[in-house]
Amino acid sequence: MSIVRVHNFSISLDGFGTGEGQSRDAHFGHAGDRLHEWMFATRWWSADGNAGVDDAFVQRHDPGIGAEIMGAGKFGHPGWEDEPDWKGAWGANPPFHTPVYVLTRHTRPSIEMEGGTTFHFLDASPAEALAVAREAAGGSDVRIGGGAKIIRAFLAEGLIDHMHVAVVPILLGRGVRLWDGLEGLERTYRIESTASPSGVTHITFARTGA
Amino acid sequence: MSIVRVHNFSISLDGFGTGEGQSRDAHFGHAGDRLHEWMFATRWWSADGNAGVDDAFVQRHDPGIGAEIMGAGKFGHPGWEDEPDWKGAWGANPPFHTPVYVLTRHTRPSIEMEGGTTFHFLDASPAEALAVAREAAGGSDVRIGGGAKIIRAFLAEGLIDHMHVAVVPILLGRGVRLWDGLEGLERTYRIESTASPSGVTHITFARTGA
């Protein structure tokens, strides 16, 4: 059965998934690349990268995924809605390779990219967007790509089956928090922690069906 | 040389060291015992407890410590200042066995307990309190006992050399946060994460001397 998954979502020790001051040149604001260096160091990212537990986790990003849902802030910098030719922050061949549904109040025509990614723009609730993405995924799983606000919204509505969060040992102090308003989340998930030699702690949430 | 240490300080995945609604019957508010169950399950706590990595961490609480500094909220429930006979939330034989300096605006005469604990009451800044506790410790280390606000205040002033935080996989949603206002803390500490089979992740901070 098609499930809903989150992968490789990186937060600081103090819970921020994005820093402050996001812009075209700073996709994660003052966090810079610091939340994702562990990922860039894996074999998944480059041929001479490490092949340990960080790589084992990141490798699960793509298999079995038929569509992604992301927030407007993952698609582009604040203000992209006013740039009619903007095609997203992910280059000509984005790393999604499926239909991607961008949640935004400012919808525009779909954009077909290289490598199988097509961006669609939806003004919809989490549940409505999921119904559309599920249909497009044709029996495969749907990935919720982030940012923090989007994941939080899907968690709050009980729509996520599997989640992988990577906690990076830095303190950002400000930005967008992942965990706000999710009291008691542990009651419906089996939570497991795996520390990596890289310093990152991988936390997985597997829905228990309660 | 005498150093300043934090041990066994437990927080939820969303960073709360104490829940909301602290009272005489609920020392940690709505968190109840949930932040400390991992500790109660160790051999340190009871003879038939586990002897694995959780126990290895908790065992370091006492050796080499000559004094503790704690906040008013660790000493007792909100309002204890108005109860002249109140002797703290820690029983007749508190688990400190050294002088303990309680930071409060409402000072009172020192209280000698069984087992070597004496509570002293200080209206002082972190640096001032540390000077007093260091003197009392006579060359041994000083433990900063918490709660979250006190640890945060000592961290903000660069007064902590070694810190052990236990992250418990629950989401409290509300309470007192440990990490607020500590952006960049990782620059002066070597941070290490150790996942335990109990589900807790132990995070240690060792000052690098920068």
Side-chain angles (χ1 to χ4, degrees), chain A residues 13-14 30 34 169-174 177 179-187 191 193-195 199 201 203 205, chain B residues 13-14 30 34 169-174 177 179-187 191 193-195 199 201 203 205:
Chain A
L13 200 47
D14 48 350
H30 82 291
R34 290 178 292 160
I170 61 173
L171 282 99
L172 287 174
R174 51 210 163 92
R177 289 186 198 277
W179 300 126
D180 278 5
L182 296 173
E183 179 177 345
L185 194 65
E186 71 278 4
R187 285 196 289 265
I191 304 178
S193 294
T194 304
T201 303
I203 307 184
F205 289 67
Chain B
L13 200 47
D14 47 352
H30 83 290
R34 289 179 292 160
I170 60 173
L171 283 100
L172 287 175
R174 52 209 162 94
R177 288 186 198 276
W179 300 126
D180 278 5
L182 295 173
E183 179 178 346
L185 194 65
E186 72 280 3
R187 286 196 289 264
I191 304 177
S193 295
T194 304
T201 303
I203 307 186
F205 290 67

Side-chain angles (χ1 to χ4, degrees), chain A residues 124-140:
Chain A
S125 72
E128 290 164 354
L130 183 53
V132 172
R134 264 216 160 102
E135 179 76 24
S140 292

Side-chain angles (χ1 to χ4, degrees), chain B residues 63-79:
Chain B
I65 294 289
E68 166 157 329
I69 298 171
M70 65 170 62
K74 180 168 176 179
F75 180 68
H77 53 282

Side-chain angles (χ1 to χ4, degrees), chain A:
Chain A
M1 190 209 134
S2 158
I3 66 167
V4 180
R5 295 155 43 187
V6 171
H7 287 280
N8 305 343
F9 193 73
S10 300
I11 62 173
S12 59
L13 200 47
D14 48 350
F16 296 100
T18 306
E20 227 175 49
Q22 289 175 267
S23 70
R24 192 159 177 158
D25 297 326
H27 194 60
F28 289 90
H30 82 291
D33 287 338
R34 290 178 292 160
L35 290 173
H36 304 97
E37 279 161 1
W38 69 272
M39 203 186 291
F40 305 150
T42 61
R43 187 175 290 198
W44 183 69
W45 192 268
S46 74
D48 61 348
N50 72 54
V53 66
D54 293 343
D55 192 61
F57 275 100
V58 294
Q59 294 280 0
R60 304 193 302 181
H61 181 265
D62 295 326
I65 295 289
E68 166 157 330
I69 297 171
M70 66 169 62
K74 179 168 176 179
F75 180 67
H77 54 281
W80 65 259
E81 300 88 345
D82 302 322
E83 299 177 32
D85 296 331
W86 174 250
K87 292 183 174 177
W90 296 92
N93 185 350
F96 309 111
H97 315 297
T98 66
V100 171
Y101 294 88
V102 179
L103 295 182
T104 172
R105 295 224 173 78
H106 304 270
T107 58
R108 58 174 60 185
S110 299
I111 306 172
E112 195 171 333
M113 309 293 289
E114 291 167 32
T117 298
T118 303
F119 291 114
H120 303 285
F121 301 84
L122 278 182
D123 183 4
S125 72
E128 290 164 354
L130 183 53
V132 172
R134 264 216 160 102
E135 179 76 24
S140 292
D141 295 343
V142 175
R143 187 173 51 234
I144 309 301
K149 278 185 216 165
I150 293 292
I151 294 177
R152 216 195 289 149
F154 278 77
L155 284 172
E157 297 196 19
L159 297 174
I160 291 179
D161 299 297
H162 167 94
M163 177 165 73
H164 162 228
V165 172
V167 180
V168 179
I170 61 173
L171 282 99
L172 287 174
R174 51 210 163 92
V176 186
R177 289 186 198 277
L178 176 59
W179 300 126
D180 278 5
L182 296 173
E183 179 177 345
L185 194 65
E186 71 278 4
R187 285 196 289 265
T188 45
Y189 291 92
R190 189 165 52 247
I191 304 178
E192 202 177 327
S193 294
T194 304
S196 162
S198 70
V200 165
T201 303
H202 301 280
I203 307 184
T204 51
F205 289 67
R207 178 125 66 166
T208 56

Side-chain angles (χ1 to χ4, degrees), chain B residues 70-92:
Chain B
M70 65 170 62
K74 180 168 176 179
F75 180 68
H77 53 282
W80 65 260
E81 300 88 345
D82 302 324
E83 300 177 33
D85 296 330
W86 174 250
K87 293 185 174 176
W90 297 93

